[in-house]
C-alpha cells in the first residue's frame, strides 16, 4: 500500500506540473488581441503609424509602446506589416541605442495567429507565430515603435490607404506597400524561466487609431483598455460603440484646459485640441500628467518608478495609492449645535483631511 500511495502522489505531482505549464503557456501577449478578443463585436480600429499630423491625429507618432522588463526576461514583438515594404519594429533600449527588425518571418498573418499569440522561444505551439525576440540584460523601460509599410518619412497627412470595412473578429485584408495603417500588433514579456508570459507590463501614452466604418454599430469601436493613474488607481475603459474614422486615444489628469492651463470640465466647440490639452507624447510635469493605458491589468510586480527609454528618462509606474485620513471628526445638528442631533438630523464635519498612508 505504501508503494501505491507514493506512485499515486507522484502521478498527481506530474499532472499538476503539466497543468501549471499549460496555464503559463495560455497567459500571453499584450496588444491588438486584447482590444479584440475572440467573439468581440464591432469593427477593427487599426494603428495609424505616421509622423504626419492632421486634425484627427494631432499628436502623430509611430504608436510608441513602453514595456518594463527585467534582466533575464525576453521581449517579443510582432505586427501584421513586418517585412511589407518598409514595415518594421524599432526597439529602443534604456541606454538610448536601438534595434530595427523588418523580417516577414515575424509577421502576424491572420486572425487565428493573432489570437494564438507568439511562440515562447524553445516551446513552439501549433498556430502561433514567431515574433522578434530580444534578450533583456538590464532592468528598465524599453520603447517599441511600429513602422507602417509607407515608412518613417511621411509629409502627407493622408491616412486613408489601408482603410477597409472590417469586423474586429475577422481576418484583415492583405496589407499594401503604401499602407499607413497596421491591423495587428503585439508586445509581450517572457518570464525569466522561459515558461510563460508576464501580462500587464506593456503600456501606451497615446494610440492613434483609424476605423473606417459606415456609421453602423457593426463597425463601431468596442475596444477595452485599462488605465493606471499616477495615484495608483486602475480604471477599465470600455469604448461602447464609438463611431468615427480616425481618432486619438489618451487619458490625462485634466482633460481640456483653458489658456491658463486650468481644466474646463467640458468638451470643445471645435476640432483643434492643440493648446487645449497636454501633449501625451511629452514628459509629465508636476501639474500635467498623461496616464498610462494597458491592454491587460497592470502587473503586480511593476515598480513604483523606473528609468529607461521614456520622455524625460524616467517615469512613475505603480505608485502606492494615497488614502485619505480624517481626524477631528465632529457631529453638528441642523440647528448648528455641535455634538447634538435632533430628529431633524445633522452632518459630520472634519476639521482636517490628510492624503497619505493611514498608519
Amino acid at each position: 500500500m505504501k508503494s501505491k500511495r507514493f506512485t499515486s502522489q507522484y502521478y498527481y505531482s506530474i499532472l499538476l506540473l503539466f497543468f501549471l505549464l499549460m496555464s503559463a503557456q495560455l497567459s500571453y501577449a499584450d496588444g491588438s488581441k486584447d482590444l479584440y478578443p475572440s467573439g468581440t463585436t464591432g469593427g477593427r480600429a487599426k494603428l495609424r503609424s505616421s509622423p504626419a499630423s492632421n486634425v484627427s491625429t494631432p499628436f502623430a507618432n509611430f504608436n510608441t509602446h513602453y514595456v518594463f522588463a527585467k534582466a533575464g526576461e525576453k521581449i517579443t514583438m510582432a505586427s501584421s506589416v513586418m517585412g511589407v515594404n518598409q514595415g518594421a519594429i524599432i526597439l529602443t533600449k534604456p541606454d538610448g541605442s536601438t534595434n530595427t527588425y523588418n523580417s516577414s518571418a515575424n509577421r502576424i498573418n491572420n486572425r487565428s495567429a493573432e489570437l494564438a499569440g507568439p511562440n515562447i522561444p524553445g516551446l513552439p505551439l501549433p498556430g502561433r507565430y514567431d515574433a522578434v525576440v530580444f534578450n533583456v540584460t538590464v532592468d528598465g523601460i524599453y520603447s517599441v515603435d511600429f513602422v507602417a509599410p509607407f515608412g518613417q518619412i511621411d509629409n502627407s497627412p493622408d491616412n486613408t490607404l489601408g482603410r477597409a470595412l472590417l469586423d474586429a473578429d475577422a481576418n484583415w485584408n492583405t496589407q499594401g506597400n503604401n499602407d499607413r495603417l497596421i491591423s495587428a500588433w503585439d508586445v509581450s514579456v517572457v518570464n525569466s524561466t522561459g515558461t510563460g508570459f508576464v501580462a500587464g507590463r506593456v503600456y501606451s501614452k497615446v494610440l492613434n487609431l483609424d476605423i473606417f466604418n459606415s456609421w453602423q454599430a457593426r463597425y463601431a469601436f468596442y475596444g477595452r483598455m485599462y488605465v493606471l493613474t499616477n495615484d495608483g488607481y486602475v480604471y477599465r475603459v470600455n469604448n461602447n460603440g464609438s463611431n468615427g474614422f480616425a481618432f486619438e486615444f489618451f487619458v490625462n489628469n485634466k482633460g481640456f484646459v483653458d489658456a491658463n492651463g486650468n481644466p474646463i470640465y467640458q468638451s470643445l466647440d471645435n476640432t483643434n485640441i492643440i493648446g487645449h490639452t497636454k501633449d501625451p507624447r511629452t514628459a509629465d510635469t508636476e501639474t500635467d500628467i498623461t496616464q498610462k493605458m494597458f491592454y491587460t491589468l497592470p502587473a503586480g510586480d511593476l515598480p513604483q518608478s523606473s528609468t529607461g527609454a521614456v520622455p524625460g528618462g524616467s517615469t512613475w509606474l505603480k505608485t502606492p495609492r494615497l488614502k485619505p485620513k480624517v481626524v477631528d471628526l465632529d457631529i453638528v445638528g441642523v440647528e448648528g449645535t455641535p455634538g447634538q442631533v435632533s430628529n431633524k438630523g445633522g452632518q459630520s464635519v472634519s476639521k482636517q483631511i490628510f492624503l497619505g498612508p493611514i498608519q
Side-chain angles (χ1 to χ4, degrees):
M1 287 295 290
K2 189 173 183 180
S3 176
K4 284 186 178 181
R5 186 162 58 249
F6 174 80
T7 302
S8 176
Q9 289 174 344
Y10 178 76
Y11 168 77
Y12 286 119
S13 296
I14 293 295
L15 189 62
L16 177 61
L17 177 61
F18 172 76
F19 279 120
L20 286 174
L21 288 174
M22 285 296 293
S23 297
Q25 286 274 315
L26 290 173
S27 178
Y28 57 83
D30 287 82
S32 57
K33 69 91 184 169
D34 297 293
L35 279 181
Y36 315 116
S38 179
T40 190
T41 58
R44 177 176 291 261
K46 301 178 182 180
L47 290 184
R48 177 185 183 267
S49 288
S50 167
S53 299
N54 60 25
V55 174
S56 299
T57 53
F59 305 122
N61 62 83
F62 296 110
N63 282 285
T64 304
H65 286 58
Y66 300 95
V67 51
F68 174 76
K70 303 176 183 179
E73 297 176 337
K74 294 177 175 61
I75 300 173
T76 66
M77 301 157 282
S79 83
S80 58
V81 299
M82 286 291 280
V84 179
N85 199 10
Q86 299 182 60
I89 286 175
I90 301 174
L91 173 75
T92 303
K93 291 167 272 188
D95 63 4
S97 61
T98 61
N99 289 1
T100 300
Y101 309 94
N102 57 9
S103 173
S104 60
N106 306 127
R107 187 185 306 162
I108 307 173
N109 284 307
N110 51 54
R111 175 63 170 160
S112 61
E114 177 188 40
L115 290 174
N119 273 314
I120 294 177
L123 296 173
L125 287 176
R128 295 196 174 187
Y129 53 87
D130 291 323
V132 173
V133 178
F134 175 79
N135 295 308
V136 178
T137 58
V138 177
D139 290 13
I141 300 176
Y142 297 73
S143 70
V144 178
D145 287 347
F146 292 95
V147 181
F150 193 85
Q152 298 182 59
I153 300 175
D154 187 356
N155 297 318
S156 170
D158 176 49
N159 64 347
T160 60
L161 291 175
R163 276 181 173 171
L165 290 173
L166 185 64
D167 290 316
D169 201 24
N171 276 324
W172 48 86
N173 298 329
T174 301
Q175 304 251 223
N177 286 337
N178 290 319
D179 283 6
R180 293 169 174 83
L181 307 180
I182 300 174
S183 297
W185 61 96
D186 172 65
V187 182
S188 299
V189 177
V190 179
N191 61 31
S192 58
T193 60
T195 57
F197 292 94
V198 183
R201 295 273 203 84
V202 178
Y203 70 89
S204 174
K205 297 179 69 177
V206 55
L207 289 175
N208 292 310
L209 298 170
D210 190 285
I211 183 167
F212 181 51
N213 62 52
S214 57
W215 312 110
Q216 303 175 55
R218 172 180 173 181
Y219 297 111
F221 182 59
Y222 288 86
R224 184 183 70 185
M225 296 195 77
Y226 296 86
V227 174
L228 175 64
T229 66
N230 71 314
D231 52 0
Y233 287 87
V234 178
Y235 297 87
R236 187 175 67 185
V237 179
N238 290 316
N239 291 275
N240 295 320
S242 49
N243 260 309
F245 283 87
F247 59 98
E248 290 188 316
F249 190 7
F250 63 93
V251 182
N252 62 32
N253 66 323
K254 288 185 177 179
F256 295 126
V257 298
D258 60 21
N260 297 316
N262 299 314
I264 61 175
Y265 303 109
Q266 63 185 32
S267 300
L268 298 178
D269 58 3
N270 60 73
T271 58
N272 181 20
I273 67 173
I274 298 296
H276 294 285
T277 188
K278 175 188 177 297
D279 185 338
R281 300 168 299 184
T282 60
D284 293 335
T285 68
E286 289 187 5
T287 58
D288 294 273
I289 296 165
T290 301
Q291 315 294 11
K292 294 173 169 58
M293 302 183 300
F294 288 73
Y295 292 101
T296 60
L297 281 171
D301 64 349
L302 285 172
Q304 292 185 29
S305 63
S306 180
T307 58
V310 294
S314 64
T315 188
W316 55 272
L317 288 172
K318 202 166 188 178
T319 56
R321 294 180 181 177
L322 295 177
K323 300 178 181 179
K325 181 180 180 181
V326 181
V327 297
D328 294 340
L329 186 66
D330 290 335
I331 300 295
V332 179
V334 294
E335 295 87 356
T337 306
Q340 184 174 340
V341 179
S342 68
N343 59 3
K344 295 180 181 179
Q347 61 183 345
S348 60
V349 178
S350 174
K351 297 178 181 177
Q352 300 181 69
I353 299 178
F354 298 103
L355 286 178
I358 298 177
Q359 302 297 326

